[in-house]
């Protein structure tokens, strides 16, 4: 296990292929009920990748800004419940990394196709900025970048592969980070390629 003294954990190959397939099936059932969407932000710019959510609350973006809400922005239906396999895994991973009492309220599902990426940012839409954040990587490998509290802090690059887990707790919870994009054709888990990232959060 790769860990820092700042609460950042990169658990390489944490999930067996069978568990990855089980989580992928759960994510697919979510996508059928809550289709992937590509938000347009306050500045009129469109997101570079697609997303959807499951759980009580979903992260959305539109011309009013970023927020958590209970309904899908296009269907206006409640987001589907968080599948038990994802919920249980997130609680166990939180415990494993020293975070008891984690309450998974939201799972954001990001799909990165070839060339799609996410710029440097901090996660601060959550009311609770001390609960850990759990990330599950499925499909093609990609390059994840971790900075520090300041946008100008030096960064470290990590390759994330299908079945890897990232846990951000402690100080790292509020570090700048980005996703530079996938390395195409590095996994056969997703039949159409690309990378799915599931981010499980306690919002309140
Ligand atoms: C490090 N997603 O949705 S997940 C996001 O690969 C997001 O989809 C990336 O950043 C992705 O906000 C990275 C791993 C992650 C999530 C939150 C973090 C890493 C983090 C918060 C602080 C530091
Ligand atoms: Fe983030």
């Amino acid at each position: 296990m790769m860990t820092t003294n700042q609460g950042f954990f990169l658990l390489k190959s944490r999930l067996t292929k069978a568990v990855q397939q089980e989580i992928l099936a759960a994510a697919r059932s979510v996508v059928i009920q809550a289709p992937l969407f590509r938000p347009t932000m306050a500045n009129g710019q469109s997101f570079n990748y697609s997303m959807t959510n499951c759980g009580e609350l979903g992260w959305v973006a539109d011309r009013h800004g970023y927020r958590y809400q209970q309904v899908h922005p296009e269907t206006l239906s409640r987001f589907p419940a968080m599948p038990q396999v994802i919920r249980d895994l997130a609680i166990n991973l939180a415990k494993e990394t020293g975070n008891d009492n984690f309450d998974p309220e939201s799972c954001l599902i990001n799909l990165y196709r070839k060339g799609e990426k996410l710029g440097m940012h901090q996660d601060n839409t959550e009311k609770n900025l001390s609960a850990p954040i759990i990330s599950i990587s499925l499909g093609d490998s990609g390059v994840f970048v971790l900075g520090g509290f300041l946008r100008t802090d030096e960064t470290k690059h990590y390759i994330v592969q299908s079945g890897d887990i990232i846990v951000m707790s402690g100080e790292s919870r509020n570090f700048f980070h980005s996703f530079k994009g996938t390395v195409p054709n590095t996994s056969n888990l997703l039949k159409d390629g690309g990378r799915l990232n599931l981010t499980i959060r306690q919002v309140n």
Side-chain angles (χ1 to χ4, degrees), residues 19-60:
V19 172
Q20 293 174 47
Q21 280 160 343
E22 198 183 344
I23 295 168
L24 177 61
R28 285 200 195 290
S29 75
V30 169
V31 170
I32 290 166
Q33 302 165 74
L36 291 162
F37 58 95
R38 194 181 280 252
T40 302
M41 293 168 284
N43 62 11
Q45 278 255 90
S46 177
F47 269 70
N48 195 260
Y49 58 93
S50 319
M51 64 186 75
T52 190
N53 294 270
C54 57
E56 278 301 307
L57 291 169
W59 188 86
V60 303

Side-chain angles (χ1 to χ4, degrees), residues 118 121 123 177 201:
L118 167 61
H121 67 281
D123 289 14
H177 56 281
R201 296 182 171 89

Side-chain angles (χ1 to χ4, degrees), residues 6 120 145-150 153-156 175-178:
Q6 303 154 121
M120 209 62 169
V145 183
L146 183 68
F149 283 123
L150 303 176
D153 284 345
E154 72 174 69
T155 57
K156 284 197 176 74
F175 284 1
F176 275 91
H177 56 281
S178 68

Side-chain angles (χ1 to χ4, degrees), residues 110 112 118 121 123 144 168 172-173 177 195 197 201:
N110 291 338
Y112 300 92
L118 167 61
H121 67 281
D123 289 14
F144 171 76
M168 285 70 49
S172 75
R173 162 68 181 76
H177 56 281
R195 171 177 179 259
N197 182 76
R201 296 182 171 89

